[in-house]
Amino acid sequence: MRTRAADMFGLEFPIFAFSHCRDVVAAVSRAGGMGVLGALYFTPEELETELAWIDEHVDGKPYGVDVVMPASYEGADFAPEELVGRLQGMIPDGHRKFVDDLLARHGVAESDGAAGRVLLGWTDATARPQVEVALRHPIALLANALGPPPADVVEMAHAKGVKVAALASTPRHAVKQVEVGVDIVVAQGTEAGGHTGEISTMVLIPQVVDAVDVPVLAAGGIGDGRQVAAGLALGAEGVWTGSIWLTVEEADTPVAARDKILAATSRDTVRSRSWTGKPARLLKNEWTDAWEAADSPGTLPMPLQFMLVSDALRRIGRSDAKELATFPAGQIIGTMNDVKPARQVVFDLVEGYIEAMDRLRAISDR
């Protein structure tokens, strides 16, 4: 599996693993791939703690950090000191009532007033402190979702010797990423969990490979060695994986969400704006259904939607209303039926890739 992406970081396997859990990140990097920590939900102080821990447990192997710096969002022109207050004032009372009524119907306890953490990472202003913390550590990769990273952030990373990656869901997005200087494009098909576009992985990968001259990683529905081989056959030089790490032994996925993922089929996810205001693939349940119902007021644009629902999602997680417990997850969950160590998942991907390549060689030899 010698590719430009592998050689760029000295990886044994060009397998990139996105996770919000530091234990998963360290385990994947130690196993020969690259763990990438999602910084979204951490304050700068918390991120400092997480990265210091990874530094001590990654055995000198390369790892990355993923931030969310959307190309467009409500309040982008607000001053940082007034951002939260002005955005909170933009949330309609009718939307607040809809959420309160939905939770009341399912017996979810009222808010305890500990909502506070509603904007972490969802704006340029709140992601920049995370970038500054990340670049103080020996990270090998800085990745950005939801649009091209700001050009000055790319320059900051390159000045530190850090490569930059960005997610793209169309060839046009990929070209824009390269124009601002990214080193790797993650071409993410609609099968992926979390924020995702409408084009399937099988169709998207060759289009992006043809559109840019930097290494491309295949993403979206990658959870099996055969899919790794398929991604490389389409021209990708590695794979970017996410959902498959939600159920590994090291993961800190909430038990209710983990159990639902283990029991789910590939039909049990849906692209919904009910989480952040932008389309994201989530576990389908009564929460996502409610936002599509006739009495729904409709979702709000980013970051207003997450500000509206963040406290509600926290309360649901602490309640018995499991029918409302949603979670970002991709269609690959249909094959995620066991809990394994992250190291074993890496090796399973590699062994499946080898078997697929051997099968193809056997066909060619005939």
Side-chain angles (χ1 to χ4, degrees):
M1 300 176 77
R2 300 264 45 91
T3 67
R4 284 189 296 173
D7 293 343
M8 188 178 286
F9 303 103
L11 302 178
E12 188 172 358
F13 315 118
I15 296 172
F16 296 72
F18 169 84
S19 175
H20 290 290
C21 178
R22 67 188 188 183
D23 298 84
V24 174
V25 170
V28 172
S29 288
R30 290 197 304 266
M34 179 184 282
V36 182
L37 183 71
L40 181 63
Y41 295 117
F42 299 118
T43 66
E45 295 75 19
E46 290 168 342
L47 183 59
E48 173 63 39
T49 299
E50 299 297 296
L51 297 184
W53 186 93
I54 293 174
D55 292 342
E56 294 177 358
H57 291 82
V58 80
D59 295 345
K61 301 292 186 179
Y63 74 94
V65 173
D66 180 280
V67 296
V68 179
M69 303 184 80
S72 61
Y73 57 90
E74 290 295 310
D77 56 343
F78 294 168
E81 63 273 11
E82 62 182 15
L83 185 63
V84 174
R86 291 186 64 178
L87 288 174
Q88 287 285 10
M90 295 171 64
I91 300 176
D93 290 339
H95 282 71
R96 297 184 190 277
K97 184 177 186 304
F98 175 79
V99 173
D100 289 341
D101 290 348
L102 175 60
L103 269 58
R105 289 199 302 272
H106 289 270
V108 178
E110 294 185 2
S111 176
D112 58 9
R117 301 157 59 87
V118 295
L119 266 181
L120 300 181
W122 293 115
T123 70
D124 182 278
T126 49
R128 282 182 180 272
Q130 296 173 330
V131 171
E132 292 171 3
V133 170
L135 292 179
R136 291 201 293 265
H137 289 262
I139 66 172
L141 178 69
L142 180 69
N144 182 60
L146 295 179
D152 68 304
V153 170
V154 175
E155 292 173 4
M156 288 167 53
H158 285 167
K160 294 280 189 177
V162 175
K163 300 297 184 183
V164 181
L167 277 67
S169 57
T170 70
R172 181 174 62 86
H173 292 160
V175 171
K176 287 186 175 181
Q177 311 284 22
V178 173
E179 287 175 348
V180 300
V182 305
D183 305 286
I184 292 179
V185 170
V186 181
Q188 181 172 272
T190 191
E191 298 94 324
H195 293 112
T196 189
E198 299 178 279
I199 305 174
S200 71
T201 302
M202 182 68 74
V203 174
L204 179 64
I205 304 306
Q207 292 183 7
V208 172
V209 168
D210 289 347
V212 300
D213 58 2
V214 301
V216 173
L217 303 181
I222 309 292
D224 181 284
R226 291 168 293 184
Q227 292 158 330
V228 175
L232 270 60
L234 293 171
E237 301 193 47
V239 295
W240 178 278
T241 56
S243 296
I244 57 173
W245 310 107
L246 294 173
T247 56
V248 297
E249 287 181 1
E250 295 88 342
D252 57 0
T253 307
V255 174
R258 186 199 65 188
D259 291 347
K260 290 178 71 172
I261 291 170
L262 289 170
T265 72
S266 294
R267 298 183 63 186
D268 293 326
T269 68
V270 63
R271 285 179 78 240
S272 170
R273 294 179 181 268
S274 63
W275 179 40
T276 68
K278 290 185 181 289
R281 188 168 297 282
L282 312 174
L283 285 173
K284 186 179 186 300
N285 64 359
E286 294 190 30
W287 171 268
T288 56
D289 288 347
W291 286 96
E292 298 296 328
D295 63 342
S296 167
T299 57
L300 299 171
M302 178 179 277
L304 300 179
Q305 180 69 15
F306 190 76
M307 294 179 72
L308 169 68
V309 306
S310 62
D311 182 51
L313 295 176
R314 182 183 64 85
R315 289 155 56 194
I316 291 168
R318 296 183 176 185
S319 74
D320 293 326
K322 306 309 179 189
E323 66 278 6
L324 290 179
T326 190
F327 204 79
Q331 291 180 330
I332 195 62
I333 61 174
T335 63
M336 293 163 50
N337 305 312
D338 301 303
V339 177
K340 303 177 182 179
R343 181 181 183 85
Q344 185 60 54
V345 174
V346 172
F347 292 161
D348 287 348
L349 289 172
V350 174
E351 290 173 6
Y353 163 82
I354 293 171
E355 291 171 2
M357 296 303 293
D358 286 344
R359 210 161 35 243
L360 291 174
R361 275 190 287 268
I363 293 172
S364 298
D365 290 343
R366 291 194 192 134

